[in-house]
Amino acid sequence: EIEADLARSHATADLAQRRARILLVDDDPDVLNVAAAIVAELGFEVSPAEDGEAALKLIGAQPFHLLITDVAMPGMNGVELARRVRAAAPTMPILFASGYTDLQTFGAELESENLIKKPFRIAEVAARIHGALDAAAAQQAASLLFDINGRSASEPPAGHA
């Protein structure tokens, strides 16, 4: 089943997505290693960080296409890390990795489409990553749809209302 999930994930991912650089943050070294192996096996470039401060240093040093962060971490939790990342890089998509108890604590702050539940399932991780990268690419493309007069592509030309 795992091999079939991986095959489907590789078949549906386009080359640009598979080369995306993903920052992965978790305070549990075992979980971080397993998650990093899954993300790398899916064909992405992964940089692991053991806490929010380390993640912010990495973001300051190099660009990333996606952040996946644990929610419940000592010091800076994942929700606070996301707030700080959004302040510095507002277009970077963010996924949260969470267990059931994290949802009880942080549930109101977490949107289901941006949530990867622990324990990790390869198919779910692949689907969430691809969904986040697709949404970010669509948003970026939409922001470029302006003509030379500064109008949105959805606005009619002047005098053609």
Side-chain angles (χ1 to χ4, degrees):
E1 179 182 12
I2 291 174
E3 290 80 14
D5 286 343
L6 285 173
R8 280 193 297 275
S9 297
H10 282 291
T12 59
D14 73 7
L15 185 59
Q17 275 199 356
R18 287 198 313 263
R19 295 185 189 269
R21 186 177 298 117
I22 297 176
L23 177 57
L24 184 61
V25 187
D26 199 300
D27 62 301
D28 183 323
D30 294 331
V31 173
L32 185 60
N33 288 336
V34 168
I38 290 171
V39 172
E41 186 64 30
L42 291 170
F44 299 101
E45 183 180 329
V46 61
S47 294
E50 68 279 355
D51 60 34
E53 290 298 331
L56 291 173
K57 287 179 186 172
L58 285 171
I59 288 171
Q62 60 184 309
F64 289 94
H65 299 98
L66 175 66
L67 167 66
I68 302 174
T69 182
D70 184 22
V71 175
M73 296 186 291
M76 184 187 317
N77 66 48
V79 174
E80 178 59 27
L81 173 60
R83 284 188 191 117
R84 292 178 66 177
V85 168
R86 284 187 181 121
T91 61
M92 183 187 302
I94 299 171
L95 295 174
F96 295 98
S98 177
Y100 176 72
T101 56
D102 298 342
L103 291 176
Q104 291 177 329
T105 305
F106 298 100
E109 309 237 10
L110 305 177
E111 300 172 17
S112 62
E113 67 271 9
N114 296 331
L115 184 64
I116 302 172
K117 293 182 183 130
K118 294 180 183 179
F120 297 118
R121 289 182 31 238
I122 294 172
E124 181 186 10
V125 172
R128 295 291 189 216
I129 289 173
H130 294 301
L133 293 174
D134 285 346
Q139 186 176 31
Q140 183 179 19
S143 71
L144 297 175
L145 293 177
F146 288 90
D147 70 7
I148 58 172
N149 295 320
R151 288 188 309 267
S152 165
S154 64
E155 294 176 22
H160 294 89

